[in-house]
mmCIF file of all heavy atoms in Angstrom:
data_model
loop_
_atom_site.group_PDB
_atom_site.id
_atom_site.type_symbol
_atom_site.label_atom_id
_atom_site.label_comp_id
_atom_site.label_asym_id
_atom_site.label_seq_id
_atom_site.Cartn_x
_atom_site.Cartn_y
_atom_site.Cartn_z
ATOM 1 N N ASP A 1 0.809 -1.216 0.000
ATOM 2 C CA ASP A 1 0.000 0.000 0.000
ATOM 3 C C ASP A 1 0.842 1.267 0.000
ATOM 4 O O ASP A 1 0.373 2.320 -0.447
ATOM 5 C CB ASP A 1 -0.939 0.010 1.208
ATOM 6 C CG ASP A 1 -2.027 -1.052 1.109
ATOM 7 O OD1 ASP A 1 -2.264 -1.548 -0.013
ATOM 8 O OD2 ASP A 1 -2.629 -1.388 2.145
ATOM 9 N N ASP A 2 2.076 1.193 0.509
ATOM 10 C CA ASP A 2 2.919 2.381 0.554
ATOM 11 C C ASP A 2 3.968 2.399 -0.555
ATOM 12 O O ASP A 2 4.999 3.052 -0.430
ATOM 13 C CB ASP A 2 3.593 2.509 1.917
ATOM 14 C CG ASP A 2 4.490 1.314 2.249
ATOM 15 O OD1 ASP A 2 4.481 0.325 1.485
ATOM 16 O OD2 ASP A 2 5.198 1.374 3.273
ATOM 17 N N ALA A 3 3.700 1.683 -1.654
ATOM 18 C CA ALA A 3 4.646 1.677 -2.773
ATOM 19 C C ALA A 3 4.902 3.101 -3.235
ATOM 20 O O ALA A 3 3.969 3.824 -3.587
ATOM 21 C CB ALA A 3 4.098 0.830 -3.919
ATOM 22 N N PRO A 4 6.166 3.548 -3.248
ATOM 23 C CA PRO A 4 6.450 4.938 -3.619
ATOM 24 C C PRO A 4 6.344 5.155 -5.126
ATOM 25 O O PRO A 4 6.575 4.240 -5.911
ATOM 26 C CB PRO A 4 7.890 5.133 -3.132
ATOM 27 C CG PRO A 4 8.490 3.770 -3.149
ATOM 28 C CD PRO A 4 7.372 2.810 -2.830
ATOM 29 N N ASP A 5 5.986 6.363 -5.510
ATOM 30 C CA ASP A 5 5.945 6.702 -6.926
ATOM 31 C C ASP A 5 7.325 6.505 -7.556
ATOM 32 O O ASP A 5 8.344 6.721 -6.904
ATOM 33 C CB ASP A 5 5.530 8.168 -7.109
ATOM 34 C CG ASP A 5 4.066 8.402 -6.797
ATOM 35 O OD1 ASP A 5 3.338 7.414 -6.660
ATOM 36 O OD2 ASP A 5 3.662 9.573 -6.668
ATOM 37 N N PRO A 6 7.350 6.061 -8.819
ATOM 38 C CA PRO A 6 6.234 5.802 -9.719
ATOM 39 C C PRO A 6 5.753 4.353 -9.706
ATOM 40 O O PRO A 6 5.052 3.922 -10.606
ATOM 41 C CB PRO A 6 6.833 6.141 -11.081
ATOM 42 C CG PRO A 6 8.250 5.673 -10.953
ATOM 43 C CD PRO A 6 8.647 5.989 -9.537
ATOM 44 N N ILE A 7 6.147 3.595 -8.684
ATOM 45 C CA ILE A 7 5.750 2.189 -8.597
ATOM 46 C C ILE A 7 4.235 2.085 -8.427
ATOM 47 O O ILE A 7 3.635 2.808 -7.628
ATOM 48 C CB ILE A 7 6.455 1.499 -7.413
ATOM 49 C CG1 ILE A 7 7.965 1.693 -7.471
ATOM 50 C CG2 ILE A 7 6.100 0.021 -7.372
ATOM 51 C CD1 ILE A 7 8.651 1.027 -8.620
ATOM 52 N N ILE A 8 3.606 1.150 -9.151
ATOM 53 C CA ILE A 8 2.169 0.909 -9.029
ATOM 54 C C ILE A 8 1.947 -0.161 -7.961
ATOM 55 O O ILE A 8 2.534 -1.243 -8.040
ATOM 56 C CB ILE A 8 1.576 0.415 -10.359
ATOM 57 C CG1 ILE A 8 1.933 1.356 -11.515
ATOM 58 C CG2 ILE A 8 0.062 0.262 -10.245
ATOM 59 C CD1 ILE A 8 1.622 0.767 -12.883
ATOM 60 N N ASN A 9 1.141 0.134 -6.965
ATOM 61 C CA ASN A 9 0.770 -0.915 -6.004
ATOM 62 C C ASN A 9 -0.433 -1.680 -6.533
ATOM 63 O O ASN A 9 -1.331 -1.103 -7.150
ATOM 64 C CB ASN A 9 0.508 -0.339 -4.620
ATOM 65 C CG ASN A 9 -0.702 0.572 -4.568
ATOM 66 O OD1 ASN A 9 -0.774 1.552 -5.299
ATOM 67 N ND2 ASN A 9 -1.650 0.260 -3.687
ATOM 68 N N THR A 10 -0.435 -2.992 -6.325
ATOM 69 C CA THR A 10 -1.455 -3.862 -6.917
ATOM 70 C C THR A 10 -2.018 -4.806 -5.866
ATOM 71 O O THR A 10 -1.491 -4.938 -4.762
ATOM 72 C CB THR A 10 -0.870 -4.677 -8.081
ATOM 73 O OG1 THR A 10 0.093 -5.608 -7.560
ATOM 74 C CG2 THR A 10 -0.191 -3.792 -9.111
ATOM 75 N N CYS A 11 -3.072 -5.510 -6.255
ATOM 76 C CA CYS A 11 -3.811 -6.386 -5.342
ATOM 77 C C CYS A 11 -3.573 -7.845 -5.694
ATOM 78 O O CYS A 11 -3.420 -8.199 -6.865
ATOM 79 C CB CYS A 11 -5.304 -6.064 -5.445
ATOM 80 S SG CYS A 11 -6.368 -7.018 -4.321
ATOM 81 N N ASN A 12 -3.542 -8.712 -4.683
ATOM 82 C CA ASN A 12 -3.566 -10.166 -4.831
ATOM 83 C C ASN A 12 -4.691 -10.711 -3.960
ATOM 84 O O ASN A 12 -4.887 -10.229 -2.839
ATOM 85 C CB ASN A 12 -2.258 -10.812 -4.365
ATOM 86 C CG ASN A 12 -1.066 -10.444 -5.224
ATOM 87 O OD1 ASN A 12 -1.199 -9.866 -6.298
ATOM 88 N ND2 ASN A 12 0.122 -10.780 -4.748
ATOM 89 N N GLY A 13 -5.398 -11.736 -4.432
ATOM 90 C CA GLY A 13 -6.414 -12.333 -3.589
ATOM 91 C C GLY A 13 -7.473 -13.063 -4.390
ATOM 92 O O GLY A 13 -7.442 -13.103 -5.618
ATOM 93 N N PHE A 14 -8.435 -13.648 -3.664
ATOM 94 C CA PHE A 14 -9.574 -14.280 -4.320
ATOM 95 C C PHE A 14 -10.516 -13.233 -4.908
ATOM 96 O O PHE A 14 -11.184 -13.477 -5.914
ATOM 97 C CB PHE A 14 -10.338 -15.167 -3.337
ATOM 98 C CG PHE A 14 -9.596 -16.420 -2.943
ATOM 99 C CD1 PHE A 14 -9.239 -16.647 -1.620
ATOM 100 C CD2 PHE A 14 -9.255 -17.367 -3.890
ATOM 101 C CE1 PHE A 14 -8.564 -17.803 -1.255
ATOM 102 C CE2 PHE A 14 -8.578 -18.529 -3.538
ATOM 103 C CZ PHE A 14 -8.228 -18.742 -2.213
ATOM 104 N N TYR A 15 -10.560 -12.063 -4.259
ATOM 105 C CA TYR A 15 -11.376 -10.944 -4.736
ATOM 106 C C TYR A 15 -10.557 -9.668 -4.572
ATOM 107 O O TYR A 15 -9.825 -9.517 -3.592
ATOM 108 C CB TYR A 15 -12.666 -10.810 -3.935
ATOM 109 C CG TYR A 15 -13.493 -12.069 -3.880
ATOM 110 C CD1 TYR A 15 -13.350 -12.968 -2.831
ATOM 111 C CD2 TYR A 15 -14.415 -12.363 -4.878
ATOM 112 C CE1 TYR A 15 -14.094 -14.129 -2.778
ATOM 113 C CE2 TYR A 15 -15.172 -13.528 -4.831
ATOM 114 C CZ TYR A 15 -15.002 -14.409 -3.783
ATOM 115 O OH TYR A 15 -15.738 -15.562 -3.731
ATOM 116 N N CYS A 16 -10.694 -8.741 -5.517
ATOM 117 C CA CYS A 16 -9.980 -7.468 -5.412
ATOM 118 C C CYS A 16 -10.860 -6.281 -5.792
ATOM 119 O O CYS A 16 -10.351 -5.200 -6.072
ATOM 120 C CB CYS A 16 -8.716 -7.487 -6.277
ATOM 121 S SG CYS A 16 -7.309 -8.318 -5.480
ATOM 122 N N ASP A 17 -12.189 -6.452 -5.795
ATOM 123 C CA ASP A 17 -13.062 -5.335 -6.131
ATOM 124 C C ASP A 17 -13.037 -4.246 -5.065
ATOM 125 O O ASP A 17 -13.431 -3.108 -5.320
ATOM 126 C CB ASP A 17 -14.494 -5.817 -6.351
ATOM 127 C CG ASP A 17 -15.020 -6.628 -5.182
ATOM 128 O OD1 ASP A 17 -14.563 -7.778 -4.996
ATOM 129 O OD2 ASP A 17 -15.873 -6.120 -4.440
ATOM 130 N N TYR A 18 -12.546 -4.572 -3.863
ATOM 131 C CA TYR A 18 -12.430 -3.589 -2.783
ATOM 132 C C TYR A 18 -11.217 -2.687 -2.945
ATOM 133 O O TYR A 18 -11.094 -1.662 -2.293
ATOM 134 C CB TYR A 18 -12.304 -4.305 -1.434
ATOM 135 C CG TYR A 18 -11.028 -5.112 -1.330
ATOM 136 C CD1 TYR A 18 -9.837 -4.547 -0.881
ATOM 137 C CD2 TYR A 18 -11.001 -6.443 -1.742
ATOM 138 C CE1 TYR A 18 -8.663 -5.279 -0.830
ATOM 139 C CE2 TYR A 18 -9.831 -7.183 -1.690
ATOM 140 C CZ TYR A 18 -8.669 -6.597 -1.239
ATOM 141 O OH TYR A 18 -7.508 -7.321 -1.197
ATOM 142 N N PHE A 19 -10.302 -3.033 -3.842
ATOM 143 C CA PHE A 19 -8.972 -2.432 -3.889
ATOM 144 C C PHE A 19 -8.951 -1.134 -4.687
ATOM 145 O O PHE A 19 -9.596 -1.024 -5.741
ATOM 146 C CB PHE A 19 -7.985 -3.422 -4.512
ATOM 147 C CG PHE A 19 -6.628 -2.843 -4.822
ATOM 148 C CD1 PHE A 19 -5.703 -2.634 -3.811
ATOM 149 C CD2 PHE A 19 -6.289 -2.488 -6.123
ATOM 150 C CE1 PHE A 19 -4.459 -2.090 -4.095
ATOM 151 C CE2 PHE A 19 -5.047 -1.957 -6.414
ATOM 152 C CZ PHE A 19 -4.128 -1.756 -5.398
ATOM 153 N N SER A 20 -8.176 -0.166 -4.176
ATOM 154 C CA SER A 20 -7.869 1.055 -4.921
ATOM 155 C C SER A 20 -6.378 1.327 -4.784
ATOM 156 O O SER A 20 -5.796 1.098 -3.713
ATOM 157 C CB SER A 20 -8.653 2.255 -4.378
ATOM 158 O OG SER A 20 -10.042 2.078 -4.575
ATOM 159 N N PRO A 21 -5.731 1.814 -5.840
ATOM 160 C CA PRO A 21 -4.301 2.131 -5.737
ATOM 161 C C PRO A 21 -4.065 3.294 -4.785
ATOM 162 O O PRO A 21 -5.001 4.028 -4.425
ATOM 163 C CB PRO A 21 -3.923 2.483 -7.179
ATOM 164 C CG PRO A 21 -5.196 2.882 -7.839
ATOM 165 C CD PRO A 21 -6.276 2.074 -7.185
ATOM 166 N N ASN A 22 -2.813 3.451 -4.380
ATOM 167 C CA ASN A 22 -2.523 4.442 -3.341
ATOM 168 C C ASN A 22 -2.437 5.876 -3.844
ATOM 169 O O ASN A 22 -2.289 6.801 -3.052
ATOM 170 C CB ASN A 22 -1.241 4.076 -2.579
ATOM 171 C CG ASN A 22 -0.008 4.052 -3.468
ATOM 172 O OD1 ASN A 22 -0.029 4.513 -4.609
ATOM 173 N ND2 ASN A 22 1.083 3.509 -2.948
ATOM 174 N N LYS A 23 -2.520 6.065 -5.160
ATOM 175 C CA LYS A 23 -2.552 7.411 -5.725
ATOM 176 C C LYS A 23 -3.622 7.454 -6.824
ATOM 177 O O LYS A 23 -3.818 6.465 -7.546
ATOM 178 C CB LYS A 23 -1.186 7.793 -6.307
ATOM 179 C CG LYS A 23 -0.082 7.922 -5.270
ATOM 180 C CD LYS A 23 -0.311 9.111 -4.353
ATOM 181 C CE LYS A 23 0.736 9.157 -3.236
ATOM 182 N NZ LYS A 23 2.097 9.337 -3.747
ATOM 183 N N PRO A 24 -4.298 8.577 -6.968
ATOM 184 C CA PRO A 24 -5.408 8.642 -7.927
ATOM 185 C C PRO A 24 -4.976 8.592 -9.387
ATOM 186 O O PRO A 24 -5.826 8.446 -10.266
ATOM 187 C CB PRO A 24 -6.066 9.992 -7.606
ATOM 188 C CG PRO A 24 -4.991 10.809 -6.971
ATOM 189 C CD PRO A 24 -4.148 9.838 -6.198
ATOM 190 N N TYR A 25 -3.678 8.689 -9.649
ATOM 191 C CA TYR A 25 -3.211 8.657 -11.035
ATOM 192 C C TYR A 25 -2.598 7.309 -11.409
ATOM 193 O O TYR A 25 -1.921 7.185 -12.422
ATOM 194 C CB TYR A 25 -2.208 9.783 -11.298
ATOM 195 C CG TYR A 25 -1.188 9.999 -10.201
ATOM 196 C CD1 TYR A 25 -0.090 9.155 -10.037
ATOM 197 C CD2 TYR A 25 -1.345 11.053 -9.309
ATOM 198 C CE1 TYR A 25 0.831 9.355 -9.029
ATOM 199 C CE2 TYR A 25 -0.429 11.267 -8.290
ATOM 200 C CZ TYR A 25 0.658 10.421 -8.158
ATOM 201 O OH TYR A 25 1.572 10.628 -7.146
ATOM 202 N N LYS A 26 -2.848 6.289 -10.586
ATOM 203 C CA LYS A 26 -2.356 4.944 -10.896
ATOM 204 C C LYS A 26 -3.526 4.040 -11.280
ATOM 205 O O LYS A 26 -4.637 4.185 -10.753
ATOM 206 C CB LYS A 26 -1.614 4.349 -9.695
ATOM 207 C CG LYS A 26 -0.347 5.105 -9.311
ATOM 208 C CD LYS A 26 0.326 4.494 -8.084
ATOM 209 C CE LYS A 26 1.577 5.280 -7.694
ATOM 210 N NZ LYS A 26 2.242 4.728 -6.487
ATOM 211 N N PRO A 27 -3.294 3.079 -12.175
ATOM 212 C CA PRO A 27 -4.372 2.170 -12.582
ATOM 213 C C PRO A 27 -4.678 1.132 -11.511
ATOM 214 O O PRO A 27 -3.852 0.857 -10.634
ATOM 215 C CB PRO A 27 -3.815 1.510 -13.841
ATOM 216 C CG PRO A 27 -2.332 1.517 -13.631
ATOM 217 C CD PRO A 27 -2.032 2.797 -12.883
ATOM 218 N N THR A 28 -5.857 0.554 -11.584
ATOM 219 C CA THR A 28 -6.289 -0.474 -10.640
ATOM 220 C C THR A 28 -5.955 -1.836 -11.226
ATOM 221 O O THR A 28 -6.551 -2.259 -12.217
ATOM 222 C CB THR A 28 -7.801 -0.342 -10.372
ATOM 223 O OG1 THR A 28 -8.078 0.979 -9.899
ATOM 224 C CG2 THR A 28 -8.257 -1.351 -9.338
ATOM 225 N N MET A 29 -4.998 -2.525 -10.589
ATOM 226 C CA MET A 29 -4.435 -3.751 -11.149
ATOM 227 C C MET A 29 -4.529 -4.899 -10.147
ATOM 228 O O MET A 29 -4.311 -4.719 -8.949
ATOM 229 C CB MET A 29 -2.967 -3.527 -11.566
ATOM 230 C CG MET A 29 -2.784 -2.445 -12.614
ATOM 231 S SD MET A 29 -1.037 -2.153 -13.021
ATOM 232 C CE MET A 29 -0.597 -3.732 -13.735
ATOM 233 N N TRP A 30 -4.803 -6.078 -10.674
ATOM 234 C CA TRP A 30 -4.953 -7.302 -9.870
ATOM 235 C C TRP A 30 -3.902 -8.283 -10.381
ATOM 236 O O TRP A 30 -4.086 -8.934 -11.398
ATOM 237 C CB TRP A 30 -6.369 -7.841 -10.067
ATOM 238 C CG TRP A 30 -6.799 -8.940 -9.166
ATOM 239 C CD1 TRP A 30 -6.082 -9.566 -8.186
ATOM 240 C CD2 TRP A 30 -8.093 -9.566 -9.166
ATOM 241 N NE1 TRP A 30 -6.836 -10.530 -7.574
ATOM 242 C CE2 TRP A 30 -8.071 -10.554 -8.144
ATOM 243 C CE3 TRP A 30 -9.249 -9.384 -9.921
ATOM 244 C CZ2 TRP A 30 -9.185 -11.358 -7.895
ATOM 245 C CZ3 TRP A 30 -10.345 -10.186 -9.651
ATOM 246 C CH2 TRP A 30 -10.320 -11.159 -8.652
ATOM 247 N N THR A 31 -2.795 -8.392 -9.665
ATOM 248 C CA THR A 31 -1.672 -9.205 -10.142
ATOM 249 C C THR A 31 -1.817 -10.689 -9.840
ATOM 250 O O THR A 31 -1.116 -11.512 -10.437
ATOM 251 C CB THR A 31 -0.340 -8.703 -9.555
ATOM 252 O OG1 THR A 31 -0.537 -8.310 -8.194
ATOM 253 C CG2 THR A 31 0.195 -7.526 -10.349
ATOM 254 N N GLU A 32 -2.694 -11.047 -8.891
ATOM 255 C CA GLU A 32 -2.943 -12.464 -8.617
ATOM 256 C C GLU A 32 -4.425 -12.674 -8.323
ATOM 257 O O GLU A 32 -4.878 -12.455 -7.202
ATOM 258 C CB GLU A 32 -2.108 -12.985 -7.442
ATOM 259 C CG GLU A 32 -0.626 -13.066 -7.728
ATOM 260 C CD GLU A 32 0.152 -13.738 -6.603
ATOM 261 O OE1 GLU A 32 -0.485 -14.397 -5.745
ATOM 262 O OE2 GLU A 32 1.386 -13.587 -6.574
ATOM 263 N N ALA A 33 -5.164 -13.075 -9.349
ATOM 264 C CA ALA A 33 -6.537 -13.551 -9.155
ATOM 265 C C ALA A 33 -6.445 -15.061 -9.009
ATOM 266 O O ALA A 33 -6.189 -15.772 -9.977
ATOM 267 C CB ALA A 33 -7.412 -13.167 -10.344
ATOM 268 N N TRP A 34 -6.627 -15.541 -7.799
ATOM 269 C CA TRP A 34 -6.329 -16.943 -7.493
ATOM 270 C C TRP A 34 -7.392 -17.857 -8.093
ATOM 271 O O TRP A 34 -8.561 -17.826 -7.712
ATOM 272 C CB TRP A 34 -6.232 -17.131 -5.983
ATOM 273 C CG TRP A 34 -5.097 -16.326 -5.390
ATOM 274 C CD1 TRP A 34 -3.947 -15.942 -6.011
ATOM 275 C CD2 TRP A 34 -5.028 -15.792 -4.061
ATOM 276 N NE1 TRP A 34 -3.152 -15.204 -5.153
ATOM 277 C CE2 TRP A 34 -3.788 -15.095 -3.944
ATOM 278 C CE3 TRP A 34 -5.876 -15.839 -2.959
ATOM 279 C CZ2 TRP A 34 -3.396 -14.453 -2.776
ATOM 280 C CZ3 TRP A 34 -5.486 -15.194 -1.785
ATOM 281 C CH2 TRP A 34 -4.258 -14.522 -1.704
ATOM 282 N N THR A 35 -6.964 -18.687 -9.056
ATOM 283 C CA THR A 35 -7.889 -19.586 -9.754
ATOM 284 C C THR A 35 -8.244 -20.808 -8.929
ATOM 285 O O THR A 35 -9.189 -21.531 -9.258
ATOM 286 C CB THR A 35 -7.276 -20.055 -11.076
ATOM 287 O OG1 THR A 35 -6.043 -20.745 -10.804
ATOM 288 C CG2 THR A 35 -6.991 -18.880 -12.000
ATOM 289 N N GLY A 36 -7.494 -21.058 -7.899
ATOM 290 C CA GLY A 36 -7.705 -22.187 -7.003
ATOM 291 C C GLY A 36 -6.789 -21.990 -5.816
ATOM 292 O O GLY A 36 -6.668 -20.890 -5.286
ATOM 293 N N TRP A 37 -6.097 -23.069 -5.439
ATOM 294 C CA TRP A 37 -5.163 -22.980 -4.312
ATOM 295 C C TRP A 37 -4.190 -24.139 -4.451
ATOM 296 O O TRP A 37 -4.451 -25.111 -5.167
ATOM 297 C CB TRP A 37 -5.903 -23.042 -2.990
ATOM 298 C CG TRP A 37 -5.153 -22.492 -1.807
ATOM 299 C CD1 TRP A 37 -4.748 -23.180 -0.703
ATOM 300 C CD2 TRP A 37 -4.736 -21.132 -1.600
ATOM 301 N NE1 TRP A 37 -4.115 -22.351 0.190
ATOM 302 C CE2 TRP A 37 -4.089 -21.074 -0.349
ATOM 303 C CE3 TRP A 37 -4.832 -19.959 -2.363
ATOM 304 C CZ2 TRP A 37 -3.546 -19.899 0.168
ATOM 305 C CZ3 TRP A 37 -4.296 -18.793 -1.849
ATOM 306 C CH2 TRP A 37 -3.669 -18.755 -0.603
ATOM 307 N N PHE A 38 -3.071 -24.044 -3.764
ATOM 308 C CA PHE A 38 -2.070 -25.105 -3.847
ATOM 309 C C PHE A 38 -2.472 -26.318 -3.016
ATOM 310 O O PHE A 38 -3.294 -26.229 -2.107
ATOM 311 C CB PHE A 38 -0.698 -24.587 -3.396
ATOM 312 C CG PHE A 38 -0.656 -24.090 -1.975
ATOM 313 C CD1 PHE A 38 -0.470 -24.967 -0.917
ATOM 314 C CD2 PHE A 38 -0.788 -22.736 -1.698
ATOM 315 C CE1 PHE A 38 -0.427 -24.518 0.396
ATOM 316 C CE2 PHE A 38 -0.746 -22.263 -0.387
ATOM 317 C CZ PHE A 38 -0.570 -23.162 0.651
ATOM 318 N N THR A 39 -1.867 -27.453 -3.347
ATOM 319 C CA THR A 39 -2.086 -28.696 -2.608
ATOM 320 C C THR A 39 -0.875 -28.986 -1.740
ATOM 321 O O THR A 39 0.269 -28.809 -2.178
ATOM 322 C CB THR A 39 -2.313 -29.867 -3.579
ATOM 323 O OG1 THR A 39 -3.457 -29.590 -4.384
ATOM 324 C CG2 THR A 39 -2.534 -31.171 -2.823
#
């Protein structure tokens, strides 16, 4: 969440619709949408 500019902070999880980047000029990115889970 505290990724300094110009780094884009992103979301990982089963859901990321709650997520917003830490600056209003950064895109909303989901780097890990978990399709399942490990065994």
Side-chain angles (χ1 to χ4, degrees):
D1 291 342
D2 60 353
D5 288 348
I7 307 294
I8 307 168
N9 66 303
T10 67
C11 182
N12 294 349
F14 289 118
Y15 306 93
C16 279
D17 53 289
Y18 65 87
F19 171 77
S20 295
N22 62 12
K23 294 292 175 63
Y25 43 77
K26 296 178 181 179
T28 304
M29 300 177 64
W30 190 358
T31 39
E32 291 187 15
W34 297 333
T35 59
W37 200 243
F38 61 84
T39 300

